[in-house]
Amino acid sequence: MSRARYDWSKLCTDLLRSILESLHPKDFHRARTVCSSWYSVSTTCIRPLYPWRILFRKSSTLLFDPEQDKTIETEHPGTDFSKHCLMASCSNWLLIIDPRLDLYLLNVFTCERINLPSMESLLLRNASFYGNTTSSNISACLWMNERTRDYVVAWSYKEHYLFSYKKGDDSWCEHKGTRCKSLAYKNNKLYVYTSDDYVKILDLSGDSPNEIVEGNPYRNHRFHFVLQPGEHVWKKKVAITNSGEVLIVLSLRGLHEKSLFCIFKMNVESGNWERVDSLGGEMLMFGYGVTIRSPIKEIDGQGIKSDSICFIDYDLWPEYNHMA
């Protein structure tokens, strides 16, 4: 007797949503990759959002769930992280570079790997590239649409070289003459905080990147600020709010060696950069050497609180050794 086959992609939406909402976060992120319909339903699920801590061991991966206050062991992706450098992250994906300067994307939950085009031809033209790549000499950003699988990668090496690549391109694009301290991406636009403290915007929507000149209100307004007595800057990062405003975020040491974050937004009318005390109900992730805009709000009292910054110890000060 033959068994009837059921198309699980056509499962009742309400039932599927109920099942997905009941899953542990690790299983939830795996289930939503089954098919496009499951992914669409997963976007309607109400789940508290918060960052996880990830520790890659020799034979396994440890995921720390702060909500349940426990560590989960999962499959190791097969990458030697003692030799590979983590550059940026977006959702479940990591951007990683190996010692040969080959880049790839890695899904933390499914261990899927997407190799990016070789940079060999660019390396041959830039002999100074060869050397160790660390979070101190690399700035990068990653954007991934998990439903369409479209993605954009941009990274800078030692503030002298800037490259970008989006899914479908034949090769990397080198942005000559752009010295970069920090990067952020939103709505097909790459925001570059330059070494001379200006904000440049590149349009990546076409076949080749173009600088936005007339539509960039920050272009001719150099970022300038006055430090308070006893303050010393460690890092400067660019971030984009949910509404598209540009923020400059400073990691600094204040009086009595207190580590601080200071946020600046440009007054469009005066062109001056002003210190602000609120993120407008959003959250910023300041980690892995990049700032990632993340508008996460409280859900039923859970999740990350608004107007907060998530960071790791390296973002505060070199000798600061407390993880927050």
Side-chain angles (χ1 to χ4, degrees):
M1 182 177 66
S2 61
R3 294 183 179 181
R5 294 185 177 181
Y6 186 81
D7 188 350
W8 292 101
S9 66
K10 297 180 180 179
L11 202 63
C12 171
T13 299
D14 291 339
L15 175 60
L16 178 58
R17 183 185 299 109
S18 177
I19 294 173
L20 291 175
E21 289 182 345
S22 67
L23 294 177
H24 185 275
K26 180 184 70 173
D27 299 320
F28 170 79
H29 287 291
R30 287 178 172 174
R32 71 203 300 249
T33 64
V34 168
C35 61
S36 59
S37 62
W38 282 36
Y39 180 85
S40 297
V41 174
S42 73
T43 61
T44 67
C45 293
I46 300 177
R47 300 175 64 90
L49 303 175
Y50 45 86
W52 286 42
R53 295 179 186 173
I54 305 174
L55 175 62
F56 294 104
R57 306 175 74 179
K58 287 187 177 181
S59 59
S60 64
T61 301
L62 298 181
L63 305 174
F64 175 70
D65 183 347
E67 182 188 39
Q68 299 186 14
D69 194 25
K70 69 176 184 180
T71 301
I72 304 158
E73 189 170 8
T74 186
E75 179 185 358
H76 193 278
T79 297
D80 184 357
F81 286 95
S82 65
K83 299 180 180 179
H84 294 212
C85 178
L86 178 58
M87 304 169 71
S89 64
C90 179
S91 186
N92 305 327
W93 292 86
L94 307 177
L95 172 62
I96 301 172
I97 186 170
D98 68 17
R100 297 178 301 177
L101 297 182
D102 288 327
L103 286 80
Y104 59 94
L105 307 180
L106 179 68
N107 189 303
V108 174
F109 293 99
T110 66
C111 294
E112 179 184 357
R113 174 169 169 159
I114 300 175
N115 292 320
L116 301 179
S118 172
M119 298 196 64
E120 183 177 2
S121 61
L122 294 172
L123 298 180
L124 291 175
R125 297 201 303 264
N126 299 292
S128 61
F129 250 92
Y130 294 96
N132 293 329
T133 53
T134 66
S135 56
S136 63
N137 59 28
I138 284 180
S139 180
C141 67
L142 166 66
W143 173 83
M144 167 71 77
N145 184 321
E146 293 196 73
R147 183 179 63 83
T148 64
R149 304 299 298 273
D150 291 331
Y151 56 84
V152 176
V153 175
W155 71 291
S156 172
Y157 181 62
K158 293 184 177 180
E159 298 188 12
H160 286 83
Y161 306 97
L162 175 61
F163 307 94
S164 67
Y165 175 82
K166 64 179 181 180
K167 183 180 178 181
D169 288 348
D170 295 328
S171 60
W172 289 91
C173 175
E174 181 177 4
H175 304 273
K176 296 182 179 180
T178 301
R179 301 187 62 181
C180 169
K181 280 185 179 179
S182 176
L183 298 164
Y185 178 87
K186 182 179 177 65
N187 295 338
N188 294 316
K189 296 177 182 178
L190 180 64
Y191 295 79
V192 182
Y193 180 51
T194 66
S195 298
D196 52 359
D197 297 307
Y198 287 93
V199 177
K200 179 182 290 188
I201 304 177
L202 303 176
D203 183 359
L204 303 187
S205 61
D207 294 333
S208 60
N210 294 297
E211 182 181 357
I212 297 175
V213 178
E214 294 184 1
N216 179 6
Y218 310 95
R219 187 173 184 270
N220 298 318
H221 300 281
R222 185 172 183 266
F223 174 65
H224 175 73
F225 64 97
V226 178
L227 288 172
Q228 301 298 320
E231 291 182 341
H232 304 279
V233 176
W234 167 232
K235 287 186 177 182
K236 300 178 186 177
K237 299 294 178 181
V238 64
I240 314 301
T241 67
N242 198 30
S243 61
E245 292 182 303
V246 172
L247 302 178
I248 301 297
V249 186
L250 305 185
S251 169
L252 51 82
R253 175 69 58 85
L255 289 174
H256 311 296
E257 297 194 346
K258 182 179 180 181
S259 297
L260 305 169
F261 286 104
C262 292
I263 304 170
F264 293 82
K265 181 168 63 174
M266 193 185 80
N267 184 318
V268 179
E269 294 182 357
S270 66
N272 297 325
W273 289 90
E274 301 174 348
R275 210 163 181 166
V276 297
D277 299 322
S278 171
L279 289 170
E282 300 181 8
M283 185 194 83
L284 289 174
M285 296 186 69
F286 196 107
Y288 302 117
V290 296
T291 302
I292 303 173
R293 191 274 308 161
S294 185
I296 301 176
K297 298 184 179 181
E298 291 181 90
I299 301 176
D300 297 330
Q302 299 180 355
I304 293 295
K305 294 181 178 180
S306 60
D307 288 315
S308 60
I309 298 177
C310 179
F311 60 91
I312 60 175
D313 54 353
Y314 182 75
D315 298 317
L316 288 180
W317 206 258
E319 65 272 20
Y320 191 84
N321 54 20
H322 172 71
M323 177 75 77

